[in-house]
C-alpha cells in the first residue's frame, strides 16, 4: 500500500470483507448493517467507529514516500527519479512529463496532499520566490493573492535590508 495505488475495485472488496467480519454475515445469510461505511470511517468524536478508509490511507502512505523524497533528495530513489523526471528543478516543482512510468504517476498522486498541507519555513530565504512559493502564513493557500509588480525570480531574501532586518 505504501508503494502502489490500490485499484478502487480492490479497495471496495476489502471494505466489503471488513464489513462482513464486523457484521457477521456469511455467504448464505445476511446480517443487519448498523451504519453506512462512510459514517463508520469517521472519528469516534464525530460518531463513527474510526475505521480506516483504505483509499485515504493508501494516499497518505504514498504522500509519505513523497515526503521522503523531499527530506532525503540524495537517497537512491531520489537520485533515480531526479535524473529521470525533474533534472533541473526540485521534487515539488516536478511535472508528470510526457512518458511517465506507473510509479512516477502514483508518486505524483500522493504529492497533491503534501502540497495542500505544507508551507515553507523561511530560514535564510535565498531560494523562496516571493510570488510563486507558499511561504506567507495565510491559511488555505500560503501565497500572495494580488500579484505585485516584481522582477521575475524576486526572492524573499530581496525583501531584507543589508543589516539582516525586514524592509518595511
Amino acid at each position: 500500500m505504501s508503494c502502489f495505488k490500490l485499484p478502487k475495485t480492490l479497495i471496495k472488496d476489502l471494505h466489503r470483507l471488513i464489513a462482513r467480519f464486523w457484521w457477521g454475515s456469511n455467504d448464505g445469510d445476511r446480517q443487519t448493517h448498523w451504519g453506512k461505511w462512510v459514517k463508520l470511517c469517521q472519528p469516534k468524536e464525530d460518531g463513527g467507529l474510526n475505521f480506516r478508509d483504505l483509499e485515504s490511507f493508501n494516499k497518505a502512505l504514498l504522500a509519505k514516500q513523497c515526503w521522503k523524497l523531499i527530506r532525503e533528495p540524495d537517497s537512491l530513489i531520489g537520485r533515480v527519479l531526479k535524473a529521470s523526471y525533474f533534472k533541473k528543478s526540485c521534487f515539488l516543482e516536478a511535472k508528470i512529463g510526457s512518458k511517465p512510468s506507473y510509479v512516477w504517476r502514483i508518486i505524483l498522486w500522493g504529492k497533491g496532499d503534501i502540497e495542500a498541507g505544507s508551507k515553507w519555513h523561511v530560514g535564510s530565504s535565498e531560494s523562496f520566490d516571493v510570488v510563486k512559493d507558499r511561504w506567507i502564513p495565510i491559511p488555505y493557500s500560503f501565497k500572495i493573492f494580488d500579484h505585485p509588480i516584481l522582477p521575475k525570480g524576486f526572492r524573499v531574501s530581496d525583501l531584507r535590508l543589508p543589516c539582516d532586518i525586514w524592509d518595511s
Side-chain angles (χ1 to χ4, degrees):
M1 272 181 76
S2 66
C3 295
F4 298 102
K5 181 180 176 184
L6 297 179
K8 289 186 185 275
T9 54
L10 178 62
I11 290 173
K12 188 176 178 181
D13 289 344
L14 289 173
H15 282 170
R16 190 178 303 122
L17 288 172
I18 293 168
R20 277 190 193 159
F21 172 79
W22 280 104
W23 307 134
S25 104
N26 295 326
D27 291 333
D29 60 338
R30 300 187 67 144
Q31 300 293 326
T32 303
H33 285 250
W34 298 104
K36 293 182 180 180
W37 186 258
V38 175
K39 179 75 174 168
L40 297 175
C41 289
Q42 291 180 347
K44 290 181 181 179
E45 298 85 32
D46 297 336
L49 292 178
N50 209 21
F51 288 174
R52 294 273 186 242
D53 175 23
L54 295 178
E55 185 173 10
S56 300
F57 189 62
N58 185 213
K59 192 169 187 178
L61 290 174
L62 289 168
K64 187 176 179 181
Q65 297 298 330
C66 295
W67 185 249
K68 285 182 181 179
L69 287 172
I70 294 168
R71 301 292 293 169
E72 301 170 16
D74 293 330
S75 65
L76 179 61
I77 188 67
R79 289 181 295 174
V80 168
L81 290 174
K82 183 167 182 68
S84 300
Y85 297 108
F86 53 101
K87 293 176 184 160
K88 298 178 182 176
S89 65
C90 69
F91 173 71
L92 289 174
E93 296 172 353
K95 305 287 185 229
I96 195 160
S98 58
K99 293 183 180 179
S101 67
Y102 177 73
V103 172
W104 181 243
R105 280 185 278 136
I106 297 310
I107 287 175
L108 290 182
W109 181 63
K111 180 181 146 188
D113 284 354
I114 295 290
E115 289 176 332
S118 65
K119 67 177 179 177
W120 287 104
H121 177 73
V122 179
S124 65
S125 65
E126 293 293 327
S127 61
F128 297 104
D129 189 307
V130 171
V131 177
K132 187 179 76 169
D133 290 333
R134 302 162 49 94
W135 65 281
I136 298 177
I138 299 173
Y140 308 112
S141 74
F142 303 105
K143 289 185 176 182
I144 295 176
F145 285 117
D146 54 340
H147 296 285
I149 300 171
L150 296 171
K152 187 172 181 158
F154 195 73
R155 302 286 177 202
V156 175
S157 60
D158 297 332
L159 297 173
R160 290 185 171 197
L161 296 174
C163 57
D164 205 28
I165 60 172
W166 289 103
D167 186 6
S168 57

